Amino acid sequence: MKKLAFFLVILAVLFLSACGGGSGSGETADGKIELTYINGFTGGDGDFMKKITNGFNESQDKYVIKESQEKDHYTKFKTGNYDLVIIHTDLLETYKQDGMIQDISSVMETAGISPDDFHDKAKEQVTFDDGVFAVPLDIHPMTMFYNKKLAPEAPQNYEDFVSLTQSLQQQDPNLFATGVPSAGLGEWFIMTVAAQNGIDLVEDNYMNFAQEELADALMIYNNMIFKDKISPEGLGLDGEFQAFMKQVDEGGSAVQTATALTGPWYYQAVKEAYGDDLGIASVPVIGEQPGVYGAGHTLALPSSVTDEERIAGIAEFLKYMYTPENLINWADSGQAPTHMPTMELVESDAAKYPLSAQNIKQFDSFEGAPKLYQYREQVRYVVENVYPKVVGEANISKETLMSELEKATEQAKQVAETAPQ
């Protein structure tokens, strides 16, 4: 019996060794140091990130990346033990203030990477007064897809939208130039029109929405729906995409739009639907100047990672990833890398990377989320309560809108006050 128990213990030890001993502390059976990397790339882009990590693993005899692609990767990151994490740019300030990520500049230096290797907009997003807290990966701005059969030329401004609508309505009253959704990308629509009108929404440490200039800018969307009929009424969640794909019924008839102002993650779906009739363009100027909002991915180093050997392995991975011939896989997914040598590679073969190449053109007019604590919570009221009124009530008054924007500002102030002292 003792021999059997000893045998079972040996089996258990061998099993745990083969499994690497758990995330953040493992070593593989062949002696490689296992580094855990978690992200939320569960869509079509996930396979392309796997190409990068698999390529690194095949090149290595000392380190191995164990990549986890999880829909709830932020929750798992907070409760798990990881060596590297993908964080959206709008969350960096919060994660930094909460002490969950650390200055990564020394790791970048070991990897031979400088913040100056990135587009200025990306560099600014990761650089703080007390260090560089992430390595930029991409910027994914609002993108315009258009159906060349309905819109032979991409609209470039509000007047183009009006002209296109008039032309389409003569063909079929269910055809519209574009779609303004009531939910889904509300934050992107708000922040894009603010950027296009040069409105600074940040005051001290909170979002100040209570500005008449913002109320006037938001009414552009109201006019697009109820005055100029550029968009159908009553588009619901993700309605800008659904109407472009002719998946919205209004009054018993399927409405369709010629363009969609939406997220680039819909690229594979629209490409499959429209093939060679699909056009990609920058977001039209419906305000006073070019401007577009969106988000970005970054790679951050968790504060829990202090082991020098593991940090050396992360530097080795970054060195591999930020080689243009390797990072180009990310552009192949449709994402737009912000690493300038890789941007040059994309632009040299724009026909192969059409979405990435087009969105790189928008970088100069891109406005990302401000560096505010709990930014997503600060914008929650304006996104969930104010924006739906703007696009859902034909006769909303400026007085009513300003009252709502003041409530949104008060909510933002209260959220800002929860920041660590």
Side-chain angles (χ1 to χ4, degrees):
M1 182 62 72
K2 288 183 178 178
K3 287 184 176 178
L4 177 60
F6 177 75
F7 178 70
L8 291 174
V9 169
I10 293 298
L11 278 180
V13 170
L14 290 174
F15 175 77
L16 288 173
S17 176
C19 289
S23 53
S25 61
E27 191 171 288
T28 62
D30 57 359
K32 293 181 182 177
I33 296 173
E34 187 176 79
L35 304 170
T36 51
Y37 166 37
I38 188 167
N39 59 58
F41 301 136
T42 58
D45 49 7
D47 290 342
F48 295 90
M49 181 54 70
K50 282 286 187 186
K51 283 186 180 180
I52 297 173
T53 52
N54 289 343
F56 172 77
N57 290 340
E58 290 167 5
S59 73
Q60 276 290 312
D61 56 11
K62 187 172 183 180
Y63 303 103
V64 62
I65 294 289
K66 181 183 177 183
E67 181 185 351
S68 299
Q69 298 180 343
E70 308 285 351
K71 284 187 177 178
D72 56 346
H73 93 278
Y74 285 121
T75 301
K76 282 189 165 59
F77 166 61
K78 291 175 181 175
T79 57
N81 186 20
Y82 297 94
D83 297 307
L84 200 59
V85 58
I86 288 287
I87 294 186
H88 284 87
T89 48
D90 64 332
L91 291 174
L92 284 175
E93 178 69 33
T94 300
Y95 276 62
K96 185 179 83 72
Q97 289 205 40
D98 285 343
M100 300 189 70
I101 57 177
Q102 59 178 300
D103 186 348
I104 198 172
S105 52
S106 63
V107 185
M108 291 176 68
E109 185 176 353
T110 303
I113 305 167
S114 164
D116 293 333
D117 294 338
F118 297 88
H119 189 279
D120 285 346
K121 293 294 175 70
K123 176 183 172 182
E124 190 276 332
Q125 289 179 317
V126 300
T127 304
F128 296 78
D129 291 341
D130 51 348
V132 178
F133 278 77
V135 187
L137 179 59
D138 62 63
I139 284 176
H140 39 280
M142 178 183 277
T143 304
M144 183 166 76
F145 297 119
Y146 64 100
N147 176 353
K148 294 178 182 176
K149 284 187 174 178
L150 296 178
E153 300 291 335
Q156 296 184 18
N157 52 47
Y158 195 95
E159 290 71 27
D160 287 349
F161 271 143
V162 172
S163 298
L164 179 59
T165 290
Q166 291 172 348
S167 173
L168 293 171
Q169 291 274 303
Q170 289 175 0
Q171 300 174 44
D172 186 329
N174 290 315
L175 292 177
F176 297 83
T178 196
V180 180
S182 60
L185 279 182
E187 175 194 340
W188 286 35
F189 276 78
I190 294 167
M191 297 300 286
T192 290
V193 82
Q196 291 199 359
N197 286 278
I199 302 169
D200 183 2
L201 293 173
V202 178
E203 184 166 330
D204 298 330
N205 61 345
Y206 65 91
M207 294 290 285
N208 178 13
F209 301 107
Q211 302 182 46
E212 292 199 3
E213 293 82 359
L214 179 61
D216 294 336
L218 290 175
M219 286 304 291
I220 292 174
Y221 295 129
N222 188 276
N223 290 337
M224 289 174 71
I225 298 170
F226 299 108
K227 177 174 173 283
D228 294 317
K229 311 295 183 185
I230 292 171
S231 166
E233 297 179 22
L235 294 183
L237 177 66
D238 301 329
E240 84 291 345
F241 168 72
Q242 305 294 346
F244 184 63
M245 300 292 278
K246 203 176 181 180
Q247 296 174 350
V248 175
D249 283 330
E250 185 189 57
S253 299
V255 297
Q256 185 177 11
T257 58
T259 73
L261 306 177
T262 191
W265 50 83
Y266 284 126
Y267 177 57
Q268 295 301 327
V270 297
K271 181 181 177 184
E272 185 175 328
Y274 289 104
D276 292 339
D277 290 326
L278 177 69
I280 311 170
S282 299
V283 169
V285 179
I286 60 173
E288 300 296 327
Q289 60 189 34
V292 63
Y293 182 74
H297 293 117
T298 68
L299 290 99
L301 182 64
S303 297
S304 59
V305 180
T306 57
D307 181 79
E308 291 185 4
E309 188 87 73
R310 309 188 72 77
I311 291 176
I314 292 167
E316 198 68 24
F317 177 56
L318 294 179
K319 181 180 179 181
Y320 177 89
M321 174 181 277
Y322 287 93
T323 299
E325 289 74 17
N326 299 325
L327 191 56
I328 196 69
N329 284 292
W330 198 232
D332 210 9
S333 76
Q335 297 281 6
T338 50
H339 181 240
M340 289 194 291
T342 307
M343 289 167 55
E344 292 173 4
L345 194 58
V346 170
E347 291 171 318
S348 70
D349 197 355
K352 186 176 180 180
Y353 310 104
L355 179 58
S356 180
Q358 174 55 48
N359 277 338
I360 284 174
K361 293 179 182 177
Q362 296 202 90
F363 282 1
D364 287 343
S365 61
F366 177 79
E367 294 292 338
K371 293 172 181 172
L372 294 176
Y373 186 72
Q374 293 290 356
Y375 166 76
R376 290 187 182 184
E377 291 303 313
Q378 291 205 31
V379 301
R380 183 177 295 279
Y381 187 89
V382 75
V383 170
E384 296 184 355
N385 296 278
V386 183
Y387 176 78
K389 291 180 185 295
V390 170
V391 301
E393 298 181 12
N395 299 314
I396 187 171
S397 67
K398 187 171 180 179
E399 182 181 9
T400 299
L401 184 51
M402 282 303 300
S403 175
E404 286 296 309
L405 290 173
E406 287 166 3
K407 291 179 185 176
T409 300
E410 287 304 311
Q411 292 276 338
K413 282 182 181 177
Q414 291 177 22
V415 172
E417 290 173 357
T418 66
Q421 299 300 313

